[in-house]
Amino acid sequence: MFKPVLTAALLLAAPAAFAQQGTPGTHFIENWDMDADGVVSLEEVQERRGIVFDMFDDDQNGQLNAAEYAIFDETRAADMEQNAGGHGNGQGQGQGQGGDRMNEGMTMAFNDTDGDGDGEVSKEEFLARASDWFMMMDRNGDGAVTTDDFGRR
């Protein structure tokens, strides 16, 4: 239980500088741009997804079971609420339009691809969906996710 709480604290403690500017997508960039160049690459998405998976795999068995996924869902929901500027829609401060695409790519339905109906997501499944999720995020198709991929078209 300690790791999910720590993870939630880390996710919710993102720097507020960009979010205060109200630029759509800044919260995503802050959390996923590992080299702080303002661009999220596919490699960064793959690496960060591995880190996120490991943080929520409480028993470290390489699977997110239903209980672990529930904590993951709750943490993401709290993070989106926190960054909605209190509006409850997940699309406020720093999130902008695109929050639905971000959330969809993290759901069990998106990531549980083996079709065995076990309600668990393996680390391999989770990582294998990184490129599909990245393509969903990269609205302009330039091979990088920036704040330009968020907001109104």
Side-chain angles (χ1 to χ4, degrees), residues 59-112:
D59 57 10
Q60 296 298 296
N61 70 347
Q63 301 278 336
L64 292 182
N65 61 36
E68 291 165 332
Y69 226 104
I71 293 168
F72 182 35
D73 290 341
E74 290 170 13
T75 303
R76 286 192 338 272
D79 184 52
M80 290 185 78
E81 177 68 23
Q82 173 75 20
N83 288 287
H87 301 295
N89 62 5
Q91 308 237 341
Q93 296 255 101
Q95 198 73 9
Q97 303 219 349
D100 291 342
R101 289 188 315 270
M102 288 187 309
N103 189 47
E104 180 184 344
M106 293 302 220
T107 63
M108 182 178 281
F110 184 84
N111 291 295
D112 189 9

Side-chain angles (χ1 to χ4, degrees), residues 6-20 25-33 48 78-80 82-83 93-95:
L6 177 61
T7 301
L10 290 172
L11 289 173
L12 297 175
F18 288 125
Q20 289 175 354
T26 55
H27 183 65
F28 175 79
I29 302 299
E30 289 169 354
N31 284 289
W32 291 78
D33 178 16
R48 179 65 74 189
D79 184 52
M80 290 185 78
Q82 173 75 20
N83 288 287
Q93 296 255 101
Q95 198 73 9

Side-chain angles (χ1 to χ4, degrees), residues 43-55:
E43 292 77 20
E44 288 171 314
V45 165
Q46 291 167 327
E47 183 175 351
R48 179 65 74 189
R49 279 176 73 98
I51 293 167
V52 167
F53 185 95
D54 290 341
M55 288 178 168

